[in-house]
Structure formats: structure tokens, C-alpha cells
Amino acid sequence: MYRILCVERNRHVREIASYMAGSRLKNFIIHAHADYSSDILRLIRSEGISLVLLNIRGTHTPGMRLCEQIRQGSSVPIILLGGSGDFELARQALLYNVSDYLTDPVDPAELGRSLETVRRGFAPADRPAAAQRDYAEPAIQNEKEPPSPCPIVSTIKQYVEEQLHHNITLKRISDSLNFNCAYLGQKFKQQENMSFNEYLLRQRMEKAKLLLETTDMKIYEIADAVGYTEIDWFYKKFRAYTGASANEYRKQCFITA
């Protein structure tokens, strides 16, 4: 069994354990608990810890400092629980190479998927016997399993959602995350089955359609709200995407309403 170290700000709180009980994932066991003042690195080494579950709910800054301390002496996988949707916080988590970042409210099933992703990443020599038997199954069975979500792709999508009204490029995002732009582009296309630019266009056009359907905003205001400073360029992109001009689309919505 893989050993999990649960880290809470308060050692008397056992919220992470309740999440684990709901995940029903095999091959993991909650081996030890600790609080933020514990010697986490010593516990990781002395207890043979395979994974750290770090609860950062309401303690984002101390939680990030603890991630930094762990990374100074260990590459053990870390899953953060209870984070906010703040992009800067997710960016810091990526810099510390966390395995996943689960925001509140944490879904036990989502945690289970994250743990399964971590388990698959362990080297064969590090796997318990039961896990090694899992990997002995035919490769065709593994091919049927859907790819696990990539945390960096989730962060990119969150950035797009929050900054849709600004000029967004993958290069700008990669610079802010300190990642290689080509690498991010490959990861994004691999998971989303479309390029980043295709995804960005879709998000902008779908948001524009929603605003045309539900608000009385002027067309130029909608264009600006979805990141277009050139109104003519917005008109061109919208027609190519929907087959109608923005004005025509709005009229059709009123007719069919």
C-alpha cells in the first residue's frame, strides 16, 4: 500500500481523511497526520511517505510556504486540497510541481481520480505488489481508459475564463507560468483535441452569443467584453463562427424567443 501523509493546519482536524473515505481508491492508506508546525521532511523520509495531501483551505500563503519547504528536500507527489480559484495561487502551485490542485468544495470522486493519476506515475520498483499486478494487465485495456486531466491545462482554461476581455496569447500565459510555450501548446491540444487558439476563439464566440441573447449591450461593448478591440475583426470572426452577423444573430434570438 502507498502511504499518505495528511497535513492540516490544525492537527486535531481530520477533514482530509473524510475526503479519502469517500474516494474508495485502492492501494493507498492514510499512514500519518501532521500539522504545519511538524517536521514534514523528516516524516516523509522516516515513514516512507509516497504522497502528501496538503489541506490549504483558508491558509493559502502558509500552505505555499510548506510546499516550498517540502520541495527543498523531496520530490514526493503533493496534492493540494481546499484551494481557491485564484490564478496566482494555482501558478505558485505549478511552480512547486504539485501533482494536482483541487479547489473547494473538494469532490471525493475528483480526489480519487487525482490519486489514481499519481499512482500511475510511480516507477514500477516503487509500486506495491497489488499495483504491479494492475500494470501487468493487457495494454489494450489501459488504452480504453480516458486520459487523466492535466493540471496545467486546467490552469490555462481558468486563465482564459478570467482574462477573456483582455488580449490573450499562449505565449503570455506561458511566460507568466514560467513554462515553455510549445510544451503548453502540445499539452493543451493533447487533452482538449483542439489548439489553444481554437479553444480561445470558441470561448470568445460563445460568450459573445450569450451576451447577444441575454443583454441589451451594444455590439462594440460585447466585442470589447470578449477581447476584441477592432470591431471589424470581431464582426468577421463572429460571422465565420455562426454564419450570421452579430445583429442578425440577435434578431434571430428575439424571433425564436
Side-chain angles (χ1 to χ4, degrees):
M1 299 292 284
Y2 294 116
R3 295 180 173 185
I4 293 177
L5 171 63
C6 293
V7 183
E8 308 273 2
R9 185 175 189 179
N10 186 330
R11 72 172 62 206
H12 301 295
V13 178
R14 293 292 180 262
E15 293 181 72
I16 290 180
S18 66
Y19 293 143
M20 281 293 302
S23 69
R24 302 176 183 177
L25 189 76
K26 297 179 180 179
N27 301 320
F28 283 93
I29 185 172
I30 300 175
H31 179 74
H33 289 85
D35 61 20
Y36 280 26
S37 64
S38 303
D39 189 341
I40 304 299
L41 279 175
R42 182 189 62 78
L43 284 172
I44 291 171
R45 293 163 181 161
S46 64
E47 300 298 322
I49 298 301
S50 303
L51 170 70
V52 173
L53 286 182
L54 175 56
N55 187 358
I56 62 171
R57 180 185 291 114
T59 59
H60 295 156
T61 300
M64 289 301 100
R65 284 201 294 264
L66 190 54
C67 277
E68 183 180 15
Q69 292 173 15
I70 293 173
R71 283 292 171 256
Q72 288 174 353
S74 174
S75 59
V76 65
I78 302 172
I79 295 178
L80 300 182
L81 301 180
S84 70
D86 180 71
F87 176 77
E88 180 59 29
L89 186 62
R91 174 183 174 277
Q92 291 180 41
L94 287 169
L95 291 177
Y96 295 131
N97 196 30
V98 301
S99 297
D100 209 344
Y101 175 94
L102 305 182
T103 58
D104 270 331
V106 176
D107 180 358
E110 186 178 5
L111 176 57
R113 288 190 290 271
S114 296
L115 291 168
E116 177 63 15
T117 300
V118 170
R119 184 184 72 85
R120 292 175 183 174
F122 288 136
D126 297 331
R127 296 182 187 127
Q132 291 190 42
R133 286 197 299 272
D134 291 343
Y135 275 76
E137 296 176 357
I140 188 171
Q141 179 175 340
N142 291 332
E143 291 176 0
K144 295 179 181 178
E145 298 177 357
S148 302
C150 176
I152 186 65
V153 172
S154 299
T155 300
I156 293 172
K157 292 167 70 174
Q158 180 184 332
Y159 182 96
V160 169
E161 180 180 352
E162 295 177 356
Q163 304 294 324
L164 194 61
H165 57 295
H166 291 307
N167 178 28
I168 302 174
T169 65
L170 188 59
K171 179 64 167 61
R172 180 169 296 179
I173 297 175
S174 64
D175 288 344
S176 68
L177 295 174
N178 292 324
F179 272 79
N180 178 272
C181 184
Y183 168 80
L184 291 188
Q186 292 172 358
K187 279 290 185 182
F188 193 93
K189 189 167 186 178
Q190 182 181 31
Q191 178 169 311
E192 299 299 316
N193 294 318
M194 68 178 74
S195 70
F196 171 77
N197 287 336
E198 290 172 331
Y199 176 82
L200 178 59
L201 176 65
R202 175 181 293 185
Q203 295 304 109
R204 283 178 164 161
M205 293 298 103
E206 291 299 322
K207 178 66 176 293
K209 286 169 57 179
L210 179 64
L211 294 176
L212 286 167
E213 295 167 8
T214 60
T215 75
D216 58 358
M217 293 171 64
K218 304 293 186 183
I219 303 299
Y220 72 86
E221 293 175 329
I222 292 176
D224 185 67
V226 297
Y228 288 92
T229 56
E230 296 289 338
I231 188 65
D232 290 342
W233 188 240
F234 169 75
Y235 276 128
K236 180 178 180 179
K237 288 293 185 180
F238 190 86
R239 180 180 287 278
Y241 185 82
T242 65
S245 71
N247 284 313
E248 291 169 345
Y249 183 85
R250 173 170 271 171
K251 289 177 183 179
Q252 291 171 5
C253 292
F254 285 128
I255 291 173
T256 57

